[in-house]
Amino acid sequence: MGGHLNINHLMFLGQGALWTMGLSVIALIGGGIVGFVIALARISPLKAVRIASAIYVQLVQGTPLLVILFLGYFGLAAIGLKVSPLTAAGASLTLYVAAYLGEIWRGCIQSVPKPQWEAAEGLALSRTQRMMKVILPQAIRIATPPTVGFMVQIIKNTSLASVVGFVELMRSGQIVNNSLFEPFAIYAIIALTYFAMCYPLSLFSQRLERRMGRGRSNLAPA
Amino acid sequence: MSLQLDFPAVLERWPSFLAGAALTLELAAFATVLGALLGTLAAVGRGTHKRLIAVACTVYVETIRNTPLLVQIFLVYFGLACLGLKFSAFTVAVAALTINVGAYTAEIMRAGFEAIPRGQIEAAEGLALSRLQIYWHIILLPAIEKVYPALTSQFVLLMLASSVCSQISAEELTAVANYIQSDTYRAFETYIIVAVLYVILSLVMRAGFWGLGLVLFPRRRRLGTPL
């Protein structure tokens, strides 16, 4: 317990912030890919696929991320894989994000107006063509604001990776605190840093939502 | 790759698991009730014409919604300590969770308030209802009824988020698991059991809120609208 917060500590915190962003990107890309598959599986014509994906979503959404992180960390070790905190955190966050993004995107796909589905069917497009050319382009537009909003959740949730020893912003704050012991000041700085990363995204998602709302009301029948 | 699971060694600690689960529910119950009150107040505050109050409420909601719960818990924990106040881990956990869920509840309630048609309030004024009566019967109860599904899933998320309180050693389910796994060296089995318990807890909470909804909003049941 000595000294004051100096430039080296701030550099270390900055490095942690970079890792927070890096882990968020990993979780977004991994979770996005798996989540897209989940979204399609949830509306699959095959009942077994629908049920299996529904169970996956229910299980993940009924379990805290912290427990999923522990399961990933100790589970991969239990089957004999040597895992770094980055692998464990990346894999766990991917599974977690996939369940939530999958549900968000399923809602967006299903909210494409019914006549569009019927028209695509009437044009004798195959299921793949229907999805790729008619439904998904419209669904992506609807899905953009909630997806940007969910990115805020992802960034905040990467803070939990600190408990499996991944040195992101939260963990680097704890490490700095161990040498300085000024917890309130340090955690306030950490909170501000998270706020600086998340708030622009929140504002952006709100703006997208408002713009979409206007666009939709223009389209609505009188 | 050899995976050997030994559940009995961990399951014999079932009284600790149950105690942890009970404390998790207790935490969630306290924070739900207090957070609902705080959130409703903040939602009302954001809508008032008194600028200072409205700005303060907005700052509260946006700050909480854009920072991680883990950081908030540590801030409350060390903040109270800095002020020279000593509380149990349970009290600190309830306080932090209340502050956290209050911000989310405020946003949900605000959406509910905005969904109340202006004409309803004017009609109530025309019928010479008092301000308090209007607030209660025309604004608050119908707003809650409208956002009930969003509100209840927020409270289930809160119960799951309470696992983070293990980091300040409140003795809830995840903290119990951390202790048991370091004691038995059976980490994977322990966390599988804990995950199952959380899934059960969230199903129980969902069922409870669904039943509560039937009791609270009989009109909705008559109309046959799904909760």
Side-chain angles (χ1 to χ4, degrees):
Chain A
M1 294 178 211
H4 293 284
L5 199 65
N6 62 34
I7 189 75
N8 287 330
H9 296 125
L10 291 179
M11 292 277 280
F12 187 63
L13 291 179
Q15 219 170 44
L18 283 181
W19 272 112
T20 287
M21 287 188 220
L23 188 59
S24 305
V25 170
I26 293 173
L28 180 67
I29 293 174
I33 294 169
V34 183
F36 182 65
V37 176
I38 295 288
L40 291 183
R42 292 277 279 128
I43 54 171
S44 155
L46 299 172
K47 196 166 184 191
V49 175
R50 280 206 306 273
I51 292 177
S53 54
I55 291 176
Y56 170 79
V57 169
Q58 283 301 316
L59 285 184
V60 173
Q61 291 196 348
T63 314
L65 175 58
L66 195 57
V67 174
I68 297 177
L69 276 162
F70 282 131
L71 277 175
Y73 190 62
F74 295 111
L76 289 174
I79 56 173
L81 293 174
K82 215 172 141 41
V83 284
S84 68
L86 175 62
T87 325
S92 312
L93 277 165
T94 293
L95 291 180
Y96 177 81
V97 169
Y100 283 87
L101 273 188
E103 278 302 271
I104 293 174
W105 288 348
R106 174 185 65 95
C108 294
I109 293 174
Q110 285 180 332
S111 71
V112 172
K114 203 95 199 129
Q116 297 283 335
W117 295 76
E118 290 161 1
E121 244 180 274
L123 289 170
L125 298 180
S126 74
R127 195 179 159 78
T128 324
Q129 284 174 323
R130 242 162 25 206
M131 268 296 167
M132 298 304 290
K133 304 213 152 142
V134 181
I135 306 301
L136 286 184
Q138 301 185 64
I140 287 172
R141 225 177 88 85
I142 304 173
T144 309
T147 307
V148 174
F150 190 70
M151 277 160 67
V152 174
Q153 306 294 327
I154 298 178
I155 295 178
K156 287 191 298 178
N157 283 336
T158 57
S159 65
L160 293 184
S162 60
V163 298
V164 293
F166 183 73
V167 187
E168 37 63 74
L169 182 53
M170 183 67 194
R171 185 87 194 102
S172 58
Q174 287 169 337
I175 292 170
V176 169
N177 182 43
N178 284 344
S179 73
L180 297 180
F181 208 73
E182 281 180 47
F184 193 71
I186 290 169
Y187 287 120
I189 293 173
I190 304 280
L192 275 177
T193 316
Y194 275 110
F195 186 81
M197 288 194 265
C198 294
Y199 191 54
L201 280 176
S202 294
L203 285 182
F204 184 49
S205 131
Q206 276 168 28
R207 250 185 53 196
L208 284 175
E209 225 151 78
R210 267 203 300 275
R211 196 180 304 162
M212 288 260 315
R214 246 204 330 269
R216 253 200 306 233
S217 67
N218 285 342
L219 288 174
Chain B
M1 296 234 292
S2 61
L3 179 61
Q4 285 173 335
L5 293 177
D6 182 8
F7 280 106
V10 178
L11 273 175
E12 68 183 24
R13 304 291 190 98
W14 62 268
S16 312
F17 280 117
L18 279 191
L23 201 78
T24 287
L25 269 186
E26 207 178 316
L27 261 180
F30 271 109
T32 296
V33 174
L34 296 175
L37 287 175
L38 182 64
T40 309
L41 282 179
V44 172
R46 279 188 92 169
T48 60
H49 297 297
K50 297 204 176 65
R51 237 184 115 59
L52 204 64
I53 296 178
V55 169
C57 290
T58 306
V59 169
Y60 159 64
V61 170
E62 293 298 341
T63 316
I64 297 299
R65 277 161 47 93
N66 287 293
T67 48
L69 173 62
L70 187 57
V71 179
Q72 290 160 15
I73 288 178
F74 278 114
L75 272 177
V76 172
Y77 188 65
F78 291 114
L80 289 175
C82 279
L83 295 174
L85 300 167
K86 264 197 89 68
F87 290 107
S88 68
F90 182 82
T91 318
V92 174
V94 168
L97 287 175
T98 299
I99 292 172
N100 181 268
V101 79
Y104 292 91
T105 308
E107 276 299 274
I108 297 173
M109 288 304 296
R110 195 166 67 120
F113 290 152
E114 279 169 8
I116 303 293
R118 194 68 222 138
Q120 299 260 325
I121 299 167
E122 284 161 10
E125 278 166 356
L127 289 170
L129 293 188
S130 73
R131 265 178 74 94
L132 209 65
Q133 281 175 318
I134 293 180
Y135 242 108
W136 184 253
H137 292 287
I138 313 298
I139 300 179
L140 194 58
L141 290 184
I144 293 177
E145 190 173 336
K146 278 205 171 71
V147 298
Y148 191 71
L151 216 47
T152 53
S153 24
Q154 189 59 55
F155 294 138
V156 175
L157 284 178
L158 162 78
M159 186 274 290
L160 297 176
S162 73
S163 63
V164 176
C165 298
S166 59
Q167 297 304 304
I168 55 167
S169 51
E171 300 270 299
E172 45 69 67
L173 189 47
T174 307
V176 167
N178 292 344
Y179 177 72
I180 292 178
Q181 68 93 5
S182 66
D183 208 28
T184 59
Y185 301 106
R186 290 269 161 214
F188 195 39
E189 291 90 330
T190 308
Y191 289 113
I192 289 177
I193 293 168
V194 165
V196 171
L197 285 175
Y198 272 111
V199 171
I200 293 172
L201 283 183
S202 49
L203 290 177
V204 166
M205 269 183 87
R206 265 177 225 289
F209 279 127
W210 181 77
L212 190 66
L214 290 184
V215 175
L216 288 179
F217 309 119
R219 196 162 63 102
R220 201 153 182 162
R221 183 172 44 177
R222 271 206 307 279
L223 293 173
T225 25
L227 276 169

